[in-house]
Amino acid sequence: MKQLFIFIKKEFKHVFRDQKTLLLLFGLPIAQILLFGFALTNEIKDSRIVVADYAGDGASQQLIERFRQNDSFVLEQSLLGADDIDEVFKQGIVKLAVVFPEQFEKSLIHEGKAQVQLIADATDPNTATTLTNYAQAIMRDFQVSYLGTASNLQIEVVTRNFYNPELRGTTNFVPGVMALVLLLVCVLMTSVSIVREKELGTMEILLVSPFNPLMVILAKAVPYLILSIINLTVILLLSVFLLDMPINGSIPLLFAVSTLLIMTALSLGLLISNSTNSQQEAMLISLMGMLLPTMMFTGFIFPIENMPVPLQVLSNIIPSKWYYIIVKDVMIKGLGFAAIWKETLILFGMTLFLLVVSIRKFKTRLA
Amino acid sequence: MTGEVAISTDKLTKRFGDFVAANEITFDVKKGEIFGFLGANGAGKTTAMRMLCGLSIPSSGQATVAGFDVYRQTEEIKKNIGYMSQKFSLYEDLTVWENIRFFAGIYGVPRSEIAPRAKEKLRQLGLYHQRNQLVASLPLGWKQKLSFSVAVFHQPEIVFLDEPTGGVDPVTRRQFWDLIYEASDQGITIFVTTHYMDEAEYCHRISMMVDGYIKALDTPTALKQNYGAESMDEVFFELARGAQRKGD
């Protein structure tokens, strides 16, 4: 036990003396959160739109005013003809046009319904969908305030975006980044730290010593477990205070499942390090072999439901996919353990499997 | 030197598939002896040594190290030996002091004994003022001496040295051998492999391995007489000439 403590202390020294490792360990998560939170968001701000107001009445003016006040849109200019819309779209600056037909207010009051045409530049379908959704939300709001809630003449299109009414991108990205960062950092760190001992020749010395080889594994895992939990805390603090991301569920539960993912990652790192002989090899496998599948199959960039069936099946072996589901449930939907026990069990099973395989592969003798 | 036996092997053999790395090697090493284990690259020295350290299970034959069996009592063996590999293997990103503390710690040296003993060792080595420097900043010769001190720090019965002086200049090598003699005087048995024939002369007894077999085993003086040679170099060439295996 005392020996284990001595070993763990040594591992911490390795981490804190290597600035590159430190930078990777703590810089990467922060950079990722900021990058995904601010730069790579699919949320749209200040999108330029044009308005063609054939009505020119009170109702259309009020509605235009609402567009003008919304953060998502910048009202570019008012147009007249439909040809002009085609023209501005071709310039590529304007992504959405709102067209009010003649007698907009009249038909709204007398017939109880009116049409507004939304024309989107759908070269980027995601942007187009998002913009039309934003615009529809604005119009729905307007409808309610203009006609009053009592009005039942209105055929209302009920599209509600549960859990993310403002269609905010960060809600999706934060759990995704958590999964990505925890998995990659842990796998990379553990695999490299064990292989380094092999490469340096110190592993040989350790194996000749009376120190139990399994303790080497444990001693390697403990520091990264602790550092990863600190990392997780930093990510959560950043998301709450910088990205205004709510944590709706239980924080202890969130930490507990995150610890489970960290353990999965540590076991995977052990497996990689036990199967490789150089730091480069371990790094290559951890980064190249893990980064892309994790990005692809976690589900926070590309929805898994839209993938071909073989890929959907394949995605099941990616631990971060399950973690992502759990975090979304706990953090955003505020659900409890009852809702996530299945995913948790899968993660647990994966961890156990990886751990058993890697311990069996760990060579306590050299030949 | 007493008559006690530190290491004893009987027809110890290690096969890797069809390849016999060590073939029925049989020898005894007495307590306190400096036993040189010589041979060309690929002759089987490292394999033999690894079997004795419990790093590799023999394919057949018998051996005891410090009185413990190499098949069943590897844990006991590990507690009673020290080991220094051909690769320099201390932690470069730890200081001299931290390396000693760490290795002494995992060998279970009581905490209260570590500091005074480490102080004394470092003074002897002339490394005391560098104790808080990172090992990476030391010259190779000093690193090797430090490695040796770490290997014998827990006062093992036997210390295995696998080509400990590779790449070190002759003066440092001589100093390194002074350390070996000192350890031997304290009763530690030294089992050392080497390429350098001048070092072979420093050993009490040497064995020559060729193609997995032990071809000769005696004191340096007796070997030179038997082969009518002026130096160990000639003895080595005489024996190694017929070798089938090329160095790796």
Side-chain angles (χ1 to χ4, degrees):
Chain A
M1 208 54 218
K2 216 169 77 189
Q3 271 115 315
L4 184 64
F5 181 70
I6 292 170
F7 207 112
I8 292 173
K9 218 165 86 181
K10 179 203 75 137
E11 288 305 313
F12 270 113
K13 280 183 192 150
H14 286 318
V15 177
F16 289 121
R17 278 188 199 165
D18 184 4
Q19 262 124 32
K20 271 180 266 172
T21 312
L22 265 186
L23 193 68
L24 191 68
L25 196 61
F26 292 107
L28 187 72
I30 294 171
Q32 293 265 31
I33 276 286
L34 296 181
L35 212 61
F36 279 110
F38 289 117
L40 292 180
T41 157
N42 58 10
E43 179 178 354
I44 294 159
K45 276 206 173 102
D46 298 338
S47 188
R48 288 163 196 269
I49 59 167
V50 288
V51 172
D53 185 4
Y54 292 103
D57 49 30
S60 70
Q61 288 301 323
Q62 279 184 40
L63 190 45
I64 291 170
E65 191 51 37
R66 279 180 183 250
F67 272 103
R68 185 172 284 136
Q69 281 165 7
N70 193 288
D71 279 347
S72 304
F73 300 112
V74 172
L75 215 53
E76 190 72 357
Q77 64 191 104
S78 295
L79 298 163
L80 282 177
D83 291 346
D84 297 329
I85 294 173
D86 196 37
E87 205 53 45
V88 289
F89 275 3
K90 275 181 183 156
Q91 287 166 15
I93 304 164
V94 174
K95 299 285 179 202
L96 184 78
V98 186
V99 183
F100 295 95
E102 284 176 31
Q103 315 216 309
F104 174 71
E105 190 173 27
K106 231 180 227 167
S107 51
L108 192 62
I109 293 168
H110 296 298
E111 296 166 35
K113 54 183 170 187
Q115 281 189 324
V116 174
Q117 192 181 17
L118 293 176
I119 305 171
D121 172 4
T123 39
D124 179 353
N126 286 334
T127 313
T129 318
T130 315
L131 283 178
T132 48
N133 280 338
Y134 284 172
Q136 278 173 19
I138 292 175
M139 287 189 285
R140 229 172 287 122
D141 276 357
F142 168 73
Q143 233 165 244
V144 172
S145 67
Y146 192 77
L147 297 169
T149 39
S151 167
N152 51 7
L153 297 166
Q154 202 60 36
I155 303 160
E156 206 179 326
V157 188
V158 187
T159 329
R160 274 183 67 196
N161 295 300
F162 266 54
Y163 313 118
N164 189 9
E166 301 154 66
L167 287 178
R168 285 177 45 186
T170 34
T171 359
N172 254 336
F173 281 127
V174 168
V177 171
M178 277 164 66
L180 187 71
V181 163
L182 289 181
L183 198 67
L184 285 184
V185 168
C186 289
V187 170
L188 188 66
M189 295 291 156
T190 24
S191 64
V192 167
S193 89
I194 293 188
V195 174
R196 186 169 47 202
E197 301 249 4
K198 279 200 217 174
E199 223 176 49
L200 284 175
T202 41
M203 189 56 98
E204 211 172 316
I205 306 284
L206 293 177
L207 291 178
V208 180
S209 82
F211 195 68
N212 186 339
L214 289 183
M215 289 290 181
V216 176
I217 293 186
L218 189 62
K220 290 272 171 192
V222 169
Y224 292 110
L225 179 69
I226 296 173
L227 291 171
S228 296
I229 290 174
I230 296 176
N231 234 336
L232 176 71
T233 317
V234 173
I235 295 179
L236 287 178
L237 286 176
L238 277 179
S239 354
V240 171
F241 293 107
L242 208 63
L243 302 176
D244 292 328
M245 198 35 219
I247 299 177
N248 294 324
S250 139
I251 291 176
L253 183 62
L254 193 59
F255 271 88
V257 290
S258 301
T259 309
L260 182 60
L261 181 83
I262 294 168
M263 306 250 273
T264 319
L266 291 175
S267 328
L268 196 57
L270 288 176
L271 186 61
I272 292 175
S273 65
N274 291 345
S275 324
T276 53
N277 283 311
S278 74
Q279 291 187 63
Q280 263 116 338
E281 212 181 325
M283 221 179 281
L284 210 65
I285 293 180
S286 318
L287 274 182
M288 303 302 273
M290 299 282 308
L291 187 65
L292 203 60
T294 312
M295 290 275 257
M296 293 278 289
F297 294 120
T298 299
F300 76 109
I301 296 183
F302 309 110
I304 291 168
E305 306 86 70
N306 296 350
M307 291 180 186
V309 178
L311 288 185
Q312 287 191 33
V313 174
L314 191 69
S315 74
N316 289 335
I317 62 164
I318 307 292
S320 54
K321 174 194 165 168
W322 304 105
Y323 177 70
Y324 179 60
I325 297 174
I326 296 173
V327 173
K328 274 201 304 188
D329 280 355
V330 174
M331 203 167 154
I332 299 167
K333 299 188 191 170
L335 300 176
F337 185 69
I340 57 162
W341 69 269
K342 232 193 301 182
E343 286 82 6
T344 311
L345 200 66
I346 292 173
L347 263 187
F348 186 75
M350 282 180 172
T351 311
L352 211 61
F353 173 77
L354 289 170
L355 205 60
V356 168
V357 173
S358 55
I359 287 176
R360 291 193 129 196
K361 267 194 88 104
F362 186 73
K363 293 187 189 71
T364 54
R365 294 172 206 282
L366 293 172
Chain B
M1 255 182 277
T2 59
E4 268 179 86
V5 172
I7 305 171
S8 167
T9 73
D10 184 22
K11 295 187 176 169
L12 198 64
T13 303
K14 180 73 188 186
R15 288 185 207 89
F16 297 102
D18 288 339
F19 179 75
V20 187
N23 207 336
E24 302 203 338
I25 55 176
T26 303
F27 61 84
D28 284 335
V29 179
K30 278 174 273 170
K31 202 166 183 306
E33 190 173 25
I34 300 177
F35 189 80
F37 210 60
L38 276 64
N41 285 335
K45 292 173 306 208
T46 302
T47 307
M49 189 178 235
R50 284 183 171 171
M51 284 192 280
L52 297 176
C53 294
L55 281 179
S56 168
I57 303 176
S59 306
S60 65
Q62 296 302 320
T64 57
V65 176
F68 298 106
D69 185 83
V70 289
Y71 291 96
R72 289 181 304 274
Q73 294 170 302
T74 49
E75 289 313 305
E76 300 302 319
I77 291 176
K78 286 176 179 179
K79 280 180 202 156
N80 288 288
I81 61 170
Y83 178 75
M84 178 179 166
S85 81
Q86 22 181 294
K87 246 202 247 175
F88 167 72
S89 40
L90 296 178
Y91 295 99
E92 302 236 325
D93 55 345
L94 299 185
T95 66
V96 171
W97 191 259
E98 285 165 340
N99 265 294
I100 294 179
R101 298 270 326 230
F102 172 70
F103 284 105
I106 63 168
Y107 270 97
V109 178
R111 216 186 184 156
S112 55
E113 284 178 34
I114 295 177
R117 217 194 285 174
K119 225 181 249 180
E120 191 196 316
K121 277 264 182 218
L122 288 174
R123 286 229 168 85
Q124 275 172 9
L125 285 177
L127 270 174
Y128 189 69
H129 293 291
Q130 282 80 20
R131 68 188 182 283
N132 290 325
Q133 272 183 28
L134 294 188
V135 166
S137 67
L138 297 179
L140 182 66
W142 281 16
K143 285 183 187 171
Q144 299 292 76
K145 283 189 268 183
L146 183 62
S147 263
F148 180 77
S149 303
V150 167
V152 295
F153 192 85
H154 58 287
Q155 297 169 328
E157 285 193 35
I158 304 158
V159 62
F160 289 87
L161 310 173
D162 193 3
E163 290 172 22
T165 53
V168 172
D169 66 80
V171 178
T172 316
R173 227 157 69 203
R174 179 67 245 195
Q175 292 170 345
F176 191 87
W177 275 88
D178 288 339
L179 289 176
I180 293 182
Y181 274 115
E182 212 173 282
S184 165
D185 287 342
Q186 288 163 15
I188 297 178
T189 308
I190 316 280
F191 187 99
V192 55
T193 72
T194 180
H195 283 317
Y196 298 108
M197 289 308 137
D198 58 326
E199 286 189 350
E201 310 257 6
Y202 302 149
C203 299
H204 296 141
R205 278 195 312 153
I206 45 182
S207 76
M208 288 268 194
M209 248 186 129
V210 179
D211 289 350
Y213 292 95
I214 290 184
K215 285 275 175 172
L217 198 168
D218 217 327
T219 61
T221 323
L223 279 176
K224 277 186 280 188
Q225 269 174 6
N226 290 349
Y227 287 87
E230 294 275 306
S231 67
M232 284 310 298
D233 257 345
E234 286 177 40
V235 177
F236 183 74
F237 279 125
E238 190 66 36
L239 282 163
R241 199 155 37 186
Q244 298 298 308
R245 291 184 201 160
K246 292 286 165 257
D248 43 17

mmCIF file of all heavy atoms in Angstrom, chain B residues 54-83:
data_model
loop_
_atom_site.group_PDB
_atom_site.id
_atom_site.type_symbol
_atom_site.label_atom_id
_atom_site.label_comp_id
_atom_site.label_asym_id
_atom_site.label_seq_id
_atom_site.Cartn_x
_atom_site.Cartn_y
_atom_site.Cartn_z
ATOM 1 N N GLY B 54 13.894 -13.835 -12.925
ATOM 2 C CA GLY B 54 12.453 -14.055 -12.851
ATOM 3 C C GLY B 54 11.682 -13.284 -13.903
ATOM 4 O O GLY B 54 10.470 -13.149 -13.823
ATOM 5 N N LEU B 55 12.386 -12.755 -14.908
ATOM 6 C CA LEU B 55 11.709 -12.031 -15.976
ATOM 7 C C LEU B 55 11.267 -12.979 -17.082
ATOM 8 O O LEU B 55 10.501 -12.616 -17.954
ATOM 9 C CB LEU B 55 12.642 -10.983 -16.583
ATOM 10 C CG LEU B 55 12.827 -9.686 -15.831
ATOM 11 C CD1 LEU B 55 13.800 -8.802 -16.570
ATOM 12 C CD2 LEU B 55 11.494 -8.973 -15.679
ATOM 13 N N SER B 56 11.797 -14.183 -17.068
ATOM 14 C CA SER B 56 11.546 -15.109 -18.156
ATOM 15 C C SER B 56 11.546 -16.515 -17.560
ATOM 16 O O SER B 56 12.415 -16.853 -16.762
ATOM 17 C CB SER B 56 12.674 -14.922 -19.178
ATOM 18 O OG SER B 56 12.677 -15.945 -20.112
ATOM 19 N N ILE B 57 10.542 -17.319 -17.934
ATOM 20 C CA ILE B 57 10.464 -18.666 -17.362
ATOM 21 C C ILE B 57 11.312 -19.615 -18.201
ATOM 22 O O ILE B 57 11.186 -19.630 -19.422
ATOM 23 C CB ILE B 57 9.001 -19.175 -17.350
ATOM 24 C CG1 ILE B 57 8.136 -18.193 -16.564
ATOM 25 C CG2 ILE B 57 8.916 -20.563 -16.743
ATOM 26 C CD1 ILE B 57 6.675 -18.569 -16.577
ATOM 27 N N PRO B 58 12.190 -20.414 -17.563
ATOM 28 C CA PRO B 58 13.037 -21.339 -18.321
ATOM 29 C C PRO B 58 12.183 -22.401 -19.010
ATOM 30 O O PRO B 58 11.091 -22.725 -18.551
ATOM 31 C CB PRO B 58 13.912 -21.988 -17.243
ATOM 32 C CG PRO B 58 13.791 -21.115 -16.046
ATOM 33 C CD PRO B 58 12.470 -20.458 -16.128
ATOM 34 N N SER B 59 12.690 -22.929 -20.126
ATOM 35 C CA SER B 59 11.969 -24.004 -20.812
ATOM 36 C C SER B 59 12.242 -25.333 -20.113
ATOM 37 O O SER B 59 11.368 -26.181 -20.018
ATOM 38 C CB SER B 59 12.402 -24.100 -22.268
ATOM 39 O OG SER B 59 12.256 -22.853 -22.884
ATOM 40 N N SER B 60 13.495 -25.521 -19.660
ATOM 41 C CA SER B 60 13.797 -26.711 -18.881
ATOM 42 C C SER B 60 15.052 -26.463 -18.055
ATOM 43 O O SER B 60 15.701 -25.424 -18.186
ATOM 44 C CB SER B 60 13.984 -27.918 -19.805
ATOM 45 O OG SER B 60 15.117 -27.721 -20.618
ATOM 46 N N GLY B 61 15.411 -27.425 -17.203
ATOM 47 C CA GLY B 61 16.579 -27.263 -16.342
ATOM 48 C C GLY B 61 16.195 -26.689 -14.997
ATOM 49 O O GLY B 61 15.027 -26.368 -14.757
ATOM 50 N N GLN B 62 17.179 -26.594 -14.114
ATOM 51 C CA GLN B 62 16.932 -26.107 -12.765
ATOM 52 C C GLN B 62 17.822 -24.906 -12.470
ATOM 53 O O GLN B 62 18.898 -24.790 -13.044
ATOM 54 C CB GLN B 62 17.270 -27.210 -11.736
ATOM 55 C CG GLN B 62 16.394 -28.449 -11.822
ATOM 56 C CD GLN B 62 14.922 -28.109 -11.634
ATOM 57 O OE1 GLN B 62 14.572 -27.276 -10.795
ATOM 58 N NE2 GLN B 62 14.067 -28.736 -12.419
ATOM 59 N N ALA B 63 17.372 -24.059 -11.568
ATOM 60 C CA ALA B 63 18.228 -22.969 -11.106
ATOM 61 C C ALA B 63 17.698 -22.426 -9.796
ATOM 62 O O ALA B 63 16.481 -22.383 -9.576
ATOM 63 C CB ALA B 63 18.285 -21.859 -12.142
ATOM 64 N N THR B 64 18.620 -22.051 -8.916
ATOM 65 C CA THR B 64 18.225 -21.323 -7.717
ATOM 66 C C THR B 64 19.036 -20.040 -7.646
ATOM 67 O O THR B 64 20.202 -20.001 -8.029
ATOM 68 C CB THR B 64 18.477 -22.126 -6.432
ATOM 69 O OG1 THR B 64 19.865 -22.477 -6.377
ATOM 70 C CG2 THR B 64 17.637 -23.387 -6.370
ATOM 71 N N VAL B 65 18.363 -18.992 -7.188
ATOM 72 C CA VAL B 65 19.006 -17.697 -7.017
ATOM 73 C C VAL B 65 18.774 -17.272 -5.574
ATOM 74 O O VAL B 65 17.621 -17.245 -5.122
ATOM 75 C CB VAL B 65 18.405 -16.659 -7.985
ATOM 76 C CG1 VAL B 65 19.003 -15.287 -7.735
ATOM 77 C CG2 VAL B 65 18.655 -17.074 -9.425
ATOM 78 N N ALA B 66 19.854 -17.008 -4.851
ATOM 79 C CA ALA B 66 19.785 -16.686 -3.421
ATOM 80 C C ALA B 66 19.011 -17.771 -2.664
ATOM 81 O O ALA B 66 18.318 -17.492 -1.691
ATOM 82 C CB ALA B 66 19.140 -15.316 -3.203
ATOM 83 N N GLY B 67 19.099 -18.988 -3.168
ATOM 84 C CA GLY B 67 18.447 -20.105 -2.493
ATOM 85 C C GLY B 67 17.003 -20.321 -2.915
ATOM 86 O O GLY B 67 16.336 -21.227 -2.425
ATOM 87 N N PHE B 68 16.493 -19.470 -3.829
ATOM 88 C CA PHE B 68 15.094 -19.605 -4.246
ATOM 89 C C PHE B 68 14.991 -20.151 -5.669
ATOM 90 O O PHE B 68 15.825 -19.852 -6.520
ATOM 91 C CB PHE B 68 14.380 -18.253 -4.144
ATOM 92 C CG PHE B 68 14.337 -17.715 -2.746
ATOM 93 C CD1 PHE B 68 15.164 -16.654 -2.367
ATOM 94 C CD2 PHE B 68 13.483 -18.284 -1.799
ATOM 95 C CE1 PHE B 68 15.125 -16.169 -1.084
ATOM 96 C CE2 PHE B 68 13.447 -17.785 -0.508
ATOM 97 C CZ PHE B 68 14.271 -16.733 -0.148
ATOM 98 N N ASP B 69 13.940 -20.905 -5.885
ATOM 99 C CA ASP B 69 13.745 -21.567 -7.163
ATOM 100 C C ASP B 69 13.219 -20.602 -8.233
ATOM 101 O O ASP B 69 12.301 -19.828 -7.979
ATOM 102 C CB ASP B 69 12.730 -22.707 -6.954
ATOM 103 C CG ASP B 69 12.555 -23.523 -8.191
ATOM 104 O OD1 ASP B 69 13.392 -24.416 -8.407
ATOM 105 O OD2 ASP B 69 11.592 -23.269 -8.929
ATOM 106 N N VAL B 70 13.785 -20.671 -9.445
ATOM 107 C CA VAL B 70 13.379 -19.712 -10.486
ATOM 108 C C VAL B 70 12.000 -19.978 -11.068
ATOM 109 O O VAL B 70 11.456 -19.136 -11.768
ATOM 110 C CB VAL B 70 14.381 -19.641 -11.662
ATOM 111 C CG1 VAL B 70 15.664 -18.968 -11.241
ATOM 112 C CG2 VAL B 70 14.633 -20.997 -12.260
ATOM 113 N N TYR B 71 11.454 -21.169 -10.822
ATOM 114 C CA TYR B 71 10.103 -21.433 -11.321
ATOM 115 C C TYR B 71 9.045 -20.960 -10.329
ATOM 116 O O TYR B 71 8.087 -20.311 -10.690
ATOM 117 C CB TYR B 71 9.888 -22.928 -11.566
ATOM 118 C CG TYR B 71 10.680 -23.497 -12.706
ATOM 119 C CD1 TYR B 71 11.891 -24.119 -12.476
ATOM 120 C CD2 TYR B 71 10.202 -23.411 -14.012
ATOM 121 C CE1 TYR B 71 12.622 -24.658 -13.524
ATOM 122 C CE2 TYR B 71 10.931 -23.952 -15.067
ATOM 123 C CZ TYR B 71 12.136 -24.574 -14.817
ATOM 124 O OH TYR B 71 12.848 -25.092 -15.862
ATOM 125 N N ARG B 72 9.263 -21.348 -9.068
ATOM 126 C CA ARG B 72 8.180 -21.177 -8.099
ATOM 127 C C ARG B 72 8.347 -19.971 -7.178
ATOM 128 O O ARG B 72 7.380 -19.499 -6.606
ATOM 129 C CB ARG B 72 8.047 -22.448 -7.250
ATOM 130 C CG ARG B 72 7.475 -23.635 -8.006
ATOM 131 C CD ARG B 72 7.353 -24.829 -7.094
ATOM 132 N NE ARG B 72 8.642 -25.162 -6.495
ATOM 133 C CZ ARG B 72 9.535 -25.951 -7.093
ATOM 134 N NH1 ARG B 72 9.278 -26.465 -8.269
ATOM 135 N NH2 ARG B 72 10.689 -26.217 -6.517
ATOM 136 N N GLN B 73 9.569 -19.489 -7.030
ATOM 137 C CA GLN B 73 9.769 -18.462 -5.995
ATOM 138 C C GLN B 73 10.285 -17.140 -6.564
ATOM 139 O O GLN B 73 11.111 -16.471 -5.947
ATOM 140 C CB GLN B 73 10.731 -19.002 -4.935
ATOM 141 C CG GLN B 73 10.128 -20.166 -4.160
ATOM 142 C CD GLN B 73 11.149 -20.851 -3.285
ATOM 143 O OE1 GLN B 73 12.164 -21.336 -3.777
ATOM 144 N NE2 GLN B 73 10.904 -20.901 -1.986
ATOM 145 N N THR B 74 9.744 -16.781 -7.730
ATOM 146 C CA THR B 74 10.250 -15.551 -8.360
ATOM 147 C C THR B 74 10.040 -14.313 -7.489
ATOM 148 O O THR B 74 10.857 -13.407 -7.496
ATOM 149 C CB THR B 74 9.572 -15.316 -9.727
ATOM 150 O OG1 THR B 74 8.164 -15.440 -9.563
ATOM 151 C CG2 THR B 74 10.035 -16.312 -10.762
ATOM 152 N N GLU B 75 8.944 -14.317 -6.719
ATOM 153 C CA GLU B 75 8.707 -13.146 -5.856
ATOM 154 C C GLU B 75 9.800 -13.009 -4.795
ATOM 155 O O GLU B 75 10.261 -11.908 -4.502
ATOM 156 C CB GLU B 75 7.329 -13.250 -5.182
ATOM 157 C CG GLU B 75 6.152 -13.044 -6.109
ATOM 158 C CD GLU B 75 6.317 -11.832 -7.013
ATOM 159 O OE1 GLU B 75 6.537 -10.730 -6.480
ATOM 160 O OE2 GLU B 75 6.256 -11.974 -8.250
ATOM 161 N N GLU B 76 10.214 -14.156 -4.244
ATOM 162 C CA GLU B 76 11.282 -14.136 -3.240
ATOM 163 C C GLU B 76 12.593 -13.694 -3.876
ATOM 164 O O GLU B 76 13.351 -12.916 -3.295
ATOM 165 C CB GLU B 76 11.462 -15.542 -2.629
ATOM 166 C CG GLU B 76 10.232 -16.079 -1.932
ATOM 167 C CD GLU B 76 9.778 -15.166 -0.813
ATOM 168 O OE1 GLU B 76 10.647 -14.649 -0.089
ATOM 169 O OE2 GLU B 76 8.565 -14.955 -0.680
ATOM 170 N N ILE B 77 12.828 -14.205 -5.086
ATOM 171 C CA ILE B 77 14.059 -13.822 -5.795
ATOM 172 C C ILE B 77 14.091 -12.310 -5.989
ATOM 173 O O ILE B 77 15.087 -11.651 -5.691
ATOM 174 C CB ILE B 77 14.145 -14.539 -7.170
ATOM 175 C CG1 ILE B 77 14.383 -16.036 -6.964
ATOM 176 C CG2 ILE B 77 15.252 -13.936 -8.025
ATOM 177 C CD1 ILE B 77 14.401 -16.858 -8.235
ATOM 178 N N LYS B 78 12.950 -11.763 -6.454
ATOM 179 C CA LYS B 78 12.905 -10.326 -6.740
ATOM 180 C C LYS B 78 13.260 -9.469 -5.537
ATOM 181 O O LYS B 78 13.821 -8.386 -5.668
ATOM 182 C CB LYS B 78 11.523 -9.939 -7.265
ATOM 183 C CG LYS B 78 11.291 -10.400 -8.693
ATOM 184 C CD LYS B 78 9.883 -10.081 -9.150
ATOM 185 C CE LYS B 78 9.680 -10.535 -10.585
ATOM 186 N NZ LYS B 78 8.307 -10.243 -11.041
ATOM 187 N N LYS B 79 12.901 -9.963 -4.346
ATOM 188 C CA LYS B 79 13.201 -9.182 -3.134
ATOM 189 C C LYS B 79 14.683 -9.197 -2.807
ATOM 190 O O LYS B 79 15.176 -8.330 -2.092
ATOM 191 C CB LYS B 79 12.421 -9.753 -1.948
ATOM 192 C CG LYS B 79 10.978 -9.297 -1.920
ATOM 193 C CD LYS B 79 10.253 -9.878 -0.730
ATOM 194 C CE LYS B 79 8.759 -9.871 -1.004
ATOM 195 N NZ LYS B 79 8.046 -10.872 -0.236
ATOM 196 N N ASN B 80 15.380 -10.217 -3.305
ATOM 197 C CA ASN B 80 16.767 -10.396 -2.899
ATOM 198 C C ASN B 80 17.801 -10.040 -3.960
ATOM 199 O O ASN B 80 18.982 -10.284 -3.768
ATOM 200 C CB ASN B 80 16.980 -11.843 -2.442
ATOM 201 C CG ASN B 80 16.321 -12.083 -1.104
ATOM 202 O OD1 ASN B 80 16.788 -11.597 -0.090
ATOM 203 N ND2 ASN B 80 15.207 -12.797 -1.111
ATOM 204 N N ILE B 81 17.339 -9.513 -5.074
ATOM 205 C CA ILE B 81 18.306 -9.138 -6.097
ATOM 206 C C ILE B 81 18.163 -7.671 -6.474
ATOM 207 O O ILE B 81 17.150 -7.033 -6.205
ATOM 208 C CB ILE B 81 18.138 -9.991 -7.386
ATOM 209 C CG1 ILE B 81 16.743 -9.788 -7.991
ATOM 210 C CG2 ILE B 81 18.409 -11.455 -7.096
ATOM 211 C CD1 ILE B 81 16.601 -10.400 -9.368
ATOM 212 N N GLY B 82 19.225 -7.167 -7.104
ATOM 213 C CA GLY B 82 19.176 -5.844 -7.710
ATOM 214 C C GLY B 82 19.422 -6.044 -9.188
ATOM 215 O O GLY B 82 19.952 -7.074 -9.591
ATOM 216 N N TYR B 83 19.006 -5.085 -9.996
ATOM 217 C CA TYR B 83 19.118 -5.282 -11.440
ATOM 218 C C TYR B 83 19.417 -3.961 -12.113
ATOM 219 O O TYR B 83 18.822 -2.931 -11.798
ATOM 220 C CB TYR B 83 17.799 -5.864 -11.953
ATOM 221 C CG TYR B 83 17.736 -6.096 -13.443
ATOM 222 C CD1 TYR B 83 18.405 -7.165 -14.026
ATOM 223 C CD2 TYR B 83 16.987 -5.254 -14.266
ATOM 224 C CE1 TYR B 83 18.334 -7.393 -15.392
ATOM 225 C CE2 TYR B 83 16.915 -5.475 -15.620
ATOM 226 C CZ TYR B 83 17.587 -6.541 -16.190
ATOM 227 O OH TYR B 83 17.508 -6.764 -17.538
#
